[in-house]
Amino acid sequence: MMKSHWHKWVRDWSGVAPFLVFSALFLIFPTMYLIVGAFRDSHDHFTLANFLGLLAPEITGSFFVSLEISAVSAILGMGFGFALTWAIAFGGLPAQLRATIVTFCGVASNFAGIPLAFAFLASVGRIGFVTSGLRHGFGIDIYAMGFNLLSVGGLIMTYLYFQIPLMVLIFLPVLDGIKREWGEAAQILGANSWQYWRHILFPMLWPSVIGSAILLFANAFGAIATAYALTGSSVNLITLLLYAQIRGDVLHNENLGFAMAFGMIAITGISNFCYLQLRSRSETWLR
Amino acid sequence: MAPLKPQPLAAWAIFGIAAGFFTIPLIATVIFSLSMKRNGWSFEAYRIVLSDSSFIAAFGYSLAQAIAAVLISTLLIVPAAYWVRLYLPAMKQWVEFITLLPLVIPSIILVFGYLRLYNSASWLPLTSNARSTDALLSFGYVTLAMPYLYRTIDAGLRAMDVRTLTEAAQSLGAGPLNILIRVILPCLRGSILNGAFLTLAIVMGEFTLASLLDRPALGPYLQLIGANRAYEPAALAVIAFSLTWFCMGFFQYFSNWRRGV
């Protein structure tokens, strides 16, 4: 009896065990190590001083720049993405065009990192094709007019190249879940277009819209490669500061780096938690 | 007026603006990459990139990393997803939770943890030599691809009747390992290929892990070229975009194929 119980236990766990060990070693422990390190000083004693260290203007500054870029690119990505998704789902565009847009969104949401920075530099960088074309062809010098790709605004514009497609990919299934019958029912009850949006669609869609925006926010917050290739370190993102800290301890305090990591995990963790809450809320309506 | 009457004019306007935003950088990059020589268009930038031995080396290195990541992921995730469906349903939500974590933890945090936990003075000094650092980088890529690969494999398992297939194989005398290799794995080939191309797209241009682990992958190479050259980066961007398009094309092809079966 004991033996068969033992056998069953081994059989039940044998397939999952390698996965769990791997996840512990290369996902859970490394993250836990940083989180624990954030609460330690250089002599391995418990301390909260690292978190006070986060209040240094250099670090709060970079947190705010990261939050600003992530939030603005998420909100704009949400807005434009919503419009594009609506156009695909209900605008009456040809079905073939819809398939092409969806495929393109799959590509563009994965076309991030360094090549994306290269594409924007080649287009609207100082010697980019669009920049020089406007200057020579139309006498318009966008850089003299205040445009700068290597700035917060330029970075937000570049991020939109993957944020908008990501919004479309997340949000299209939601809009596809809207049933034609709801509109017909509302119409029979005498609702006009505005009332249908305001009283039927808005209450059902807002959790998904906000949830998607939060996911876009977290997506931008952890990004590093595009910003690094585009601006070097002229835009002071928290990820770029952490990158410099990992390479050369620029803050001269190992545990302060851990506290920064903790802060980032907290922000992305809370964002994802809110996303999951909002998603389960919207799933009760849209099946 | 119907509450959701199609409004083609507005839809076409939105589509036009979006098409402009998304295609202008691509067209501009292609033209820029072709204008390296002063007199007329040429493939000079492409010629320089493709004949650069360090590009070939970096490309090959990243391709090998991607293949390693796909193999390791398959070995880890297929049994795990199959087992939690069949033997440990109570663990399913925990396994799903773990596979979602890489989306929550930014890759820079992950590699920061690796560098501190597996440094040369630690209990498992994976970063002490080049070969073991290569392995650590593969493990990192397995982790980054985990959310996507788990989902495609789990969807594949959902699409087939795992329990009936397993019981049929058991009644013919097959053991769990035999069932996994000769029944489940062949049925999942579409899902696995699907996830493999997504993994390839993620790994090929990845920068953060490769750079901080100091391995000669494509991402750090791109960064170096970007910092020092003008036209070659545009050619590289065109190559990278074509590669992503190729990977995603296969990704969608195999997802449709799976649904068709």
Side-chain angles (χ1 to χ4, degrees):
Chain A
M1 192 64 201
M2 267 318 277
K3 191 161 183 284
S4 81
H5 186 79
W6 170 243
H7 267 225
K8 184 180 180 309
W9 191 85
V10 168
R11 187 202 64 185
D12 283 1
W13 286 89
S14 57
V16 191
F19 169 81
L20 292 178
V21 171
F22 179 91
S23 306
L25 283 176
F26 299 107
L27 182 58
I28 316 276
F29 291 169
T31 313
M32 288 309 293
Y33 186 86
L34 300 180
I35 292 173
V36 172
F39 292 94
R40 281 186 176 172
D41 63 17
S42 52
H43 303 289
D44 281 349
H45 297 304
F46 176 82
T47 178
L48 290 173
N50 298 320
F51 294 98
L52 285 177
L54 288 183
L55 297 176
E58 183 187 11
I59 299 176
T60 49
S62 63
F63 258 111
F64 277 121
V65 172
S66 272
L67 288 174
E68 181 192 355
I69 289 178
S70 313
V72 175
S73 76
I75 291 167
L76 292 176
M78 174 190 79
F80 291 125
F82 181 91
L84 186 56
T85 318
W86 173 84
I88 301 170
F90 299 121
L93 297 178
Q96 189 53 45
L97 196 58
R98 175 192 158 122
T100 311
I101 295 172
V102 172
T103 308
F104 181 85
C105 286
V107 176
S109 63
N110 278 293
F111 181 63
I114 295 172
L116 178 63
F118 289 172
F120 271 80
L121 281 168
S123 316
V124 288
R126 250 172 222 288
I127 59 162
F129 176 73
V130 174
T131 313
S132 54
L134 286 173
R135 189 165 50 229
H136 296 130
F138 302 92
I140 303 168
D141 188 344
I142 54 173
Y143 275 79
M145 292 163 73
F147 176 81
N148 184 6
L149 182 61
L150 315 183
S151 66
V152 169
L155 203 53
I156 289 171
M157 186 176 89
T158 311
Y159 277 16
L160 285 179
Y161 204 87
F162 58 80
Q163 295 281 57
I164 295 173
L166 188 60
M167 177 72 185
V168 172
L169 291 181
I170 303 169
F171 205 61
L172 189 57
V174 177
L175 283 191
D176 278 345
I178 294 176
K179 305 235 171 11
R180 173 177 284 277
E181 291 84 342
W182 300 345
E184 289 165 357
Q187 193 182 10
I188 290 165
L189 294 170
N192 62 28
S193 213
W194 157 251
Q195 285 168 323
Y196 179 54
W197 272 100
R198 168 67 188 82
H199 296 291
I200 311 286
L201 291 186
F202 178 76
M204 276 193 303
L205 293 181
W206 77 261
S208 309
V209 176
I210 304 295
S212 315
I214 291 172
L215 206 64
L216 299 189
F217 170 84
N219 185 41
F221 191 77
I224 171 167
T226 309
Y228 189 65
L230 203 58
T231 69
S233 52
S234 66
V235 175
N236 181 26
L237 291 180
I238 188 71
T239 39
L240 294 176
L241 183 60
L242 187 59
Y243 182 84
Q245 165 70 8
I246 295 170
R247 295 210 95 162
D249 197 12
V250 291
L251 303 170
H252 308 293
N253 178 355
E254 177 105 312
N255 295 79
L256 194 51
F258 296 162
M260 275 168 64
F262 181 87
M264 288 180 62
I265 297 169
I267 290 174
T268 55
I270 292 168
S271 311
N272 277 276
F273 177 77
C274 294
Y275 166 70
L276 290 175
Q277 290 297 314
L278 288 164
R279 198 183 65 172
S280 64
R281 202 185 159 124
S282 65
E283 270 172 358
T284 50
W285 293 104
L286 303 156
R287 284 191 188 277
Chain B
M1 180 183 128
L4 268 182
K5 198 162 91 61
Q7 309 202 320
L9 209 63
W12 280 105
I14 292 167
F15 170 74
I17 294 168
F21 178 72
F22 285 103
T23 51
I24 288 172
L26 294 181
I27 295 167
T29 306
V30 170
I31 295 174
F32 192 79
S33 72
L34 295 174
S35 35
M36 190 165 182
K37 283 188 171 166
R38 291 209 168 273
N39 47 350
W41 291 0
S42 72
F43 285 100
E44 185 66 8
Y46 293 86
R47 195 191 60 73
I48 293 175
V49 165
L50 294 175
S51 61
D52 179 359
S53 62
S54 38
F55 169 76
I56 308 290
F59 192 91
Y61 181 87
S62 285
L63 194 60
Q65 278 288 348
I67 292 167
V70 169
L71 290 178
I72 300 169
S73 309
T74 307
L75 289 178
L76 285 172
I77 293 173
V78 171
Y82 171 66
W83 245 259
V84 293
R85 264 186 183 274
L86 209 59
Y87 300 117
L88 283 174
M91 281 294 290
K92 191 168 193 295
Q93 53 173 329
W94 288 103
V95 170
E96 273 176 7
F97 176 74
I98 291 171
T99 61
L100 279 176
L101 282 179
L103 296 178
V104 179
I105 302 163
S107 55
I108 189 163
I109 304 286
L110 205 62
V111 68
F112 190 18
Y114 288 180
L115 287 167
R116 292 298 174 270
L117 196 57
Y118 300 120
N119 65 45
S120 47
S122 72
W123 60 285
L124 188 61
L126 284 173
T127 56
S128 59
N129 72 63
R131 288 289 80 74
S132 59
T133 314
D134 288 341
L136 185 59
L137 184 59
S138 304
F139 297 153
Y141 288 152
V142 170
T143 310
L144 292 191
M146 194 189 276
Y148 310 100
L149 214 57
Y150 178 80
R151 241 136 293 274
T152 54
I153 288 172
D154 192 51
L157 286 173
R158 199 182 313 135
M160 61 199 208
D161 191 347
V162 177
R163 189 163 291 277
T164 311
L165 280 175
T166 306
E167 280 165 4
Q170 272 169 345
S171 69
L172 293 169
L177 200 64
N178 217 352
I179 299 173
L180 194 64
I181 294 169
R182 292 170 61 180
V183 179
I184 304 298
L185 219 50
C187 288
L188 281 175
R189 63 190 191 281
S191 309
I192 293 169
L193 274 171
N194 186 343
F197 279 102
L198 202 59
T199 308
L200 187 64
I202 294 169
V203 172
M204 286 313 280
E206 201 283 335
F207 168 73
T208 316
L209 261 63
S211 164
L212 285 170
L213 289 175
D214 202 18
R215 298 313 298 142
L218 197 55
Y221 171 83
L222 292 175
Q223 197 278 325
L224 189 71
I225 297 294
N228 297 304
R229 303 290 183 85
Y231 293 94
E232 290 88 336
L236 284 165
V238 173
I239 294 170
F241 189 80
S242 316
L243 189 70
T244 314
W245 189 273
F246 169 84
C247 289
M248 296 312 292
F250 270 96
F251 173 76
Q252 300 218 329
Y253 174 76
F254 285 116
S255 17
N256 293 334
W257 183 41
R258 196 187 64 227
R259 258 176 239 127
V261 169

